[in-house]
Amino acid sequence: MIIQSADLLRNAHKLFVIFPKRKFSARTSIYNVTQEPHSQGPARVPFGIENDDVVSWTWTISDFVKKNQPQKAIGLFKRMLMSNQRPNYVTVLSSIQASSSMGSEMLGMEIHSFAVKMGFESETPIITALLGFYSVWDMGSAFKLFLLAPEKDVILWSAMISAFVKAGEYIMAIDLFKEMQLCGVEPNYVSILSVIPACANLSDLRSGRELHGLSIKRSFISHLNVQNSLLDMYAKCGSLNESISIFENIERKDLVSWKNIITGCINNDCPRVALNYFQAMQIYCFEMDERIIREVIGMSSRLDDTKTGQGIHSFALKSGFLECVSVVTALLQMYATSGNIESARSLFDSLGQKDIIAWSAMISAYAQSEQPSNALTIFKWMQLEEKKANEFSFVSLLQACSSMAAQDFGEAVHAQVLKFGFTSNAFVASALIDMYCKFGKIHQGKAFFDEKSKKDLVCWSSMINGYGINGHGSEALECFLDMLSYGVQPNDVVFISVLSACSHCGLEYEAWNWFHVMEEKYDITPKLAHYACMVDMLSRQGNVEQALEFVNKMPIEPDKRIWGAVLAGCRKTHGSSEISELVAKQLISLEPKNASHYVVLSNLYADQGKWEEVEKLRQLINGKTRKKWMGYSAI
């Protein structure tokens, strides 16, 4: 239909050129020309349209555009070109807007050429409309139109700024906003609303605050859209307190306000605050939507609070959201994260129509649980249902094969990955490297790594980790140095792989060197996983006292991984019972129902002949119901 419209427009244009005076005896009823085959009913004929003057034609074309009926608008425009009426620039403007709505690049370019022929190319509204049209296809052409405009009003400036933001050119948007003011053009409400998202996406807090001040100065701060945009900007810039301040001062909060503050709290690792706002939102009787329910369900996974998750599940049930596959999938992932694989499977089975995201989520849930074989079962079921696996499904399957040491099935999954063409996906490639290295086939993993012409950070990290778990510490560090030589900047995950490799291979000097370089040179603050690597390394070397001293000086609270590594070192070196007892008590305080910690300490006392202490621990264990957990690695 779009091509047909363009052809008719071209023919009409030829007629227009042939008859320069445009005085036809033939006249066409506007009522009839709007009855296209795709018409959903007769077009409303406004009073006075029978005169068929340019105003009537233009009014009707514009009306179709406003009613989101671009095909009818173009159909009427091409008929107008075949009549005795000469379009004015408003007619052409409406036609450009119609072509933009239709998404037809060729048609838009035809109308652009026609606008030049008619001498409308210098009209600022025409340039603004063409700029919006070209910005979808070709930002270079859009910016050229802007630069060549003889007069630039605030609307044109705002349109160009908005186009840069939509194209992801945030720095250009901010620079253009500043240039607009230098040129003496005062920004309006739309200008400020257009540029605030650029600051948000760049985390440019300074520019964002300047826009906030300008909004107050120009009295735009009272606009709800501006308030919501500033709220979002502060949250994305990591200044949650300022975001909350904006939210609390909004007199009439709408759904967007609540969404932005809840999402902002979640993204700034304040799930409890987000939950409080979610509860307040219910009190104010705001109707929830699917997106915000999914956000809150995902947030509950971070709380490590089963009751909260169950409460949100109940709310979703009462509110009718369990009809939404995406909401049920989010609940499935929540239960899987908390280790409740049975509830996750129950929700999965309750889905009548399972989409690929739900299948992938269930496969992932099993792959990361103590039942990885069931991930393969779900995959086979998915194939029987003739559902095509995506890259996320294959990543989870490869992880399941790795944890099960199911080499034959892993190679079969690899064949499927090749068949569907997912080897170029960074996460799939990383999972393949990781799987082969965990199978002990480091040469096969390295061969696949070498096949990648463009290696991203994920692939480098997997290869470094693969060398480390196979005891090839020197190769791991060499791989890391190669990565740096290619100009790939390391992140915190890569440094975990590097430090873990040093720990497993006894490279103490190198570990300390990279641990300090990480922060000093690359400005990466060590996290618990990095500290765990260092504690594990010291404990493996038998330096338990040094490990404990290091733990005591840590700026963050140690978790069970770190205390577990120290305790493992105590067992290996038969260290002091005082340290062992201290560490065991720390682990018991973190996991009071884990009987393994009591048993380990009891065995340590037994090895040292402290039978009275052994008896005390046995009485303590017998006096309470304990669960003996499966063993876990510190790293």
Side-chain angles (χ1 to χ4, degrees):
M1 185 62 209
I2 292 172
I3 295 174
Q4 183 183 12
S5 297
D7 290 338
L8 288 170
L9 179 63
R10 196 177 296 109
N11 293 334
H13 189 192
K14 289 176 181 177
L15 283 172
F16 182 82
V17 174
I18 293 170
F19 298 96
K21 294 184 180 180
R22 272 74 67 185
K23 289 186 179 178
F24 289 78
S25 59
R27 301 177 67 83
T28 307
S29 169
I30 292 181
Y31 180 86
N32 291 330
V33 301
T34 58
Q35 303 310 298
E36 298 291 335
H38 54 263
S39 174
Q40 297 178 353
R44 182 175 64 85
V45 183
F47 179 76
I49 195 72
E50 64 274 4
N51 294 327
D52 286 345
D53 61 1
V54 66
V55 175
S56 300
W57 285 96
T58 301
W59 187 95
T60 310
I61 291 169
S62 300
D63 192 49
F64 281 139
V65 174
K66 290 175 184 176
K67 291 178 177 177
N68 196 27
Q69 296 177 318
Q71 288 88 355
K72 286 185 177 181
I74 292 297
L76 191 55
F77 179 62
K78 68 192 179 189
R79 298 293 184 185
M80 183 182 183
L81 294 178
M82 299 174 69
S83 75
N84 65 338
Q85 294 296 330
R86 175 189 174 94
N88 61 24
Y89 87 88
V90 178
T91 322
V92 177
L93 176 64
S94 297
S95 301
I96 294 170
Q97 293 168 342
S99 67
S100 296
S101 298
M102 291 169 66
S104 172
E105 183 178 7
M106 182 176 67
L107 182 59
M109 292 176 71
E110 288 282 346
I111 298 175
H112 184 185
S113 298
F114 181 75
V116 173
K117 174 79 175 181
M118 296 290 293
F120 297 145
E121 73 275 11
S122 61
E123 296 285 352
T124 305
I126 293 287
I127 297 170
T128 304
L130 286 169
L131 188 155
F133 165 75
Y134 280 110
S135 66
V136 178
W137 312 96
D138 182 3
M139 277 298 294
S141 295
F143 194 42
K144 185 177 180 181
L145 276 171
F146 173 79
L147 293 174
L148 294 176
E151 293 182 6
K152 300 179 180 68
D153 61 7
V154 67
I155 298 173
L156 183 59
W157 281 97
S158 300
M160 193 67 247
I161 291 166
S162 179
F164 275 131
V165 172
K166 289 177 182 177
E169 298 286 349
Y170 305 124
I171 294 175
M172 286 291 290
I174 293 172
D175 288 346
L176 196 64
F177 182 80
K178 293 176 180 177
E179 186 180 341
M180 176 180 73
Q181 295 173 83
L182 291 173
C183 290
V185 179
E186 288 290 334
N188 63 8
Y189 154 76
V190 176
S191 314
I192 291 177
L193 199 58
S194 298
V195 77
I196 290 173
C199 301
N201 288 299
L202 287 173
S203 296
D204 186 351
L205 186 58
R206 181 178 177 180
S207 295
R209 283 174 174 158
E210 288 175 357
L211 286 170
H212 186 179
L214 185 60
S215 300
I216 296 171
K217 181 181 178 181
R218 298 295 310 278
S219 301
F220 298 138
I221 195 66
S222 59
H223 288 273
L224 181 58
N225 287 343
V226 172
Q227 292 172 324
N228 285 338
S229 193
L230 286 169
L231 189 164
D232 179 64
M233 181 274 296
Y234 279 121
K236 286 180 178 176
C237 289
S239 184
L240 186 59
N241 288 335
E242 288 178 275
S243 182
I244 290 172
S245 177
I246 293 283
F247 177 80
E248 296 296 345
N249 284 297
I250 297 176
E251 291 184 6
R252 295 183 178 180
K253 302 173 179 67
D254 64 359
L255 188 59
V256 176
S257 310
W258 288 99
K259 282 181 183 178
N260 285 354
I261 194 62
I262 291 171
T263 304
C265 291
I266 292 171
N267 293 337
N268 281 277
D269 294 321
C270 294
R272 285 288 176 194
V273 181
L275 182 62
N276 291 338
Y277 279 119
F278 176 68
Q279 292 169 339
M281 186 179 180
Q282 297 173 58
I283 294 170
Y284 282 95
C285 300
F286 270 89
E287 186 177 345
M288 305 288 173
D289 67 0
E290 187 178 332
R291 176 176 169 266
I292 201 164
I293 291 292
R294 289 199 311 268
E295 291 273 6
V296 173
I297 291 169
M299 168 212 67
S300 66
S301 300
R302 304 186 193 181
L303 291 172
D304 195 22
D305 184 350
T306 307
K307 289 184 179 179
T308 299
Q310 290 172 341
I312 297 170
H313 185 175
S314 298
F315 175 82
L317 176 62
K318 291 177 182 177
S319 304
F321 283 105
L322 293 192
E323 299 295 322
C324 304
V325 177
S326 63
V327 171
V328 176
T329 304
L331 285 167
L332 183 161
Q333 293 169 321
M334 177 194 75
Y335 281 117
T337 302
S338 65
N340 190 347
I341 200 72
E342 291 78 15
S343 293
R345 179 60 187 270
S346 177
L347 281 164
F348 178 75
D349 291 339
S350 73
L351 285 170
Q353 295 294 324
K354 302 174 177 67
D355 61 12
I356 186 60
I357 300 174
W359 285 102
S360 299
M362 195 66 242
I363 291 171
S364 176
Y366 275 128
Q368 297 176 48
S369 72
E370 295 176 5
Q371 306 170 41
S373 60
N374 285 340
L376 310 183
T377 303
I378 295 292
F379 177 64
K380 291 175 182 176
W381 180 13
M382 184 173 75
Q383 288 182 312
L384 290 174
E385 295 286 329
E386 297 183 347
K387 299 290 184 181
K388 184 180 177 181
N390 61 14
E391 56 268 45
F392 302 107
S393 309
F394 283 120
V395 168
S396 297
L397 285 168
L398 293 167
Q399 290 172 344
C401 294
S402 298
S403 59
M404 292 167 55
Q407 185 173 325
D408 291 341
F409 200 91
E411 290 174 347
V413 173
H414 188 180
Q416 291 279 309
V417 168
L418 290 169
K419 178 182 176 181
F420 289 109
F422 287 129
T423 52
S424 60
N425 181 273
F427 295 101
V428 173
S430 172
L432 281 166
I433 295 167
D434 183 68
M435 181 185 74
Y436 282 117
C437 288
K438 285 181 178 176
F439 288 162
K441 294 192 167 187
I442 194 165
H443 294 295
Q444 201 162 341
K446 179 65 163 58
F448 185 74
F449 174 79
D450 289 338
E451 287 176 8
K452 300 284 294 178
S453 57
K454 293 183 179 180
K455 302 176 180 67
D456 64 3
L457 200 57
V458 180
C459 287
W460 284 104
S461 182
S462 295
M463 195 66 244
I464 293 166
N465 187 62
Y467 277 127
I469 61 177
N470 281 280
H472 299 286
S474 298
E475 288 85 348
L477 292 179
E478 185 179 342
C479 185
F480 178 60
L481 292 172
D482 285 344
M483 184 193 84
L484 296 178
S485 69
Y486 279 103
V488 179
Q489 288 295 303
N491 64 1
D492 59 323
V493 177
V494 171
F495 273 109
I496 292 171
S497 298
V498 170
L499 296 177
S500 179
C502 292
S503 173
H504 281 88
C505 302
L507 303 175
E508 187 174 349
Y509 171 80
E510 291 83 354
W512 284 114
N513 176 59
W514 288 115
F515 181 78
H516 293 301
V517 166
M518 175 177 68
E519 188 166 18
E520 293 170 1
K521 184 175 180 180
Y522 296 102
D523 198 28
I524 297 173
T525 304
K527 298 180 180 177
L528 268 172
H530 303 103
Y531 285 109
C533 289
M534 301 307 292
V535 172
D536 183 66
M537 178 198 67
L538 291 169
S539 300
R540 284 174 183 267
Q541 298 295 315
N543 300 321
V544 177
E545 291 184 0
Q546 189 179 349
L548 183 61
E549 183 182 356
F550 180 77
V551 170
N552 290 331
K553 291 180 179 180
M554 281 169 46
I556 49 181
E557 286 294 318
D559 64 356
K560 64 181 182 181
R561 292 174 298 174
I562 290 175
W563 290 119
V566 178
L567 188 58
C570 291
R571 294 179 65 185
K572 180 178 179 181
T573 61
H574 301 288
S576 73
S577 58
E578 289 82 4
I579 293 178
S580 300
E581 185 174 3
L582 171 66
V583 174
K585 285 180 178 179
Q586 292 290 342
L587 283 167
I588 289 167
S589 67
L590 290 170
E591 298 177 320
K593 293 183 179 181
N594 188 345
S596 300
H597 304 322
Y598 297 87
V599 173
V600 168
L601 186 55
S602 176
N603 291 338
L604 281 167
Y605 284 148
D607 290 341
Q608 296 171 11
K610 297 184 176 181
W611 302 111
E612 290 182 5
E613 300 297 333
V614 171
E615 186 60 30
K616 288 179 183 178
L617 276 174
R618 284 181 180 173
Q619 289 176 3
L620 183 61
I621 295 171
N622 293 334
K624 297 180 180 180
T625 302
R626 302 289 176 191
K627 177 183 177 182
K628 190 168 183 178
W629 288 16
M630 291 181 65
Y632 61 86
S633 171
I635 304 299

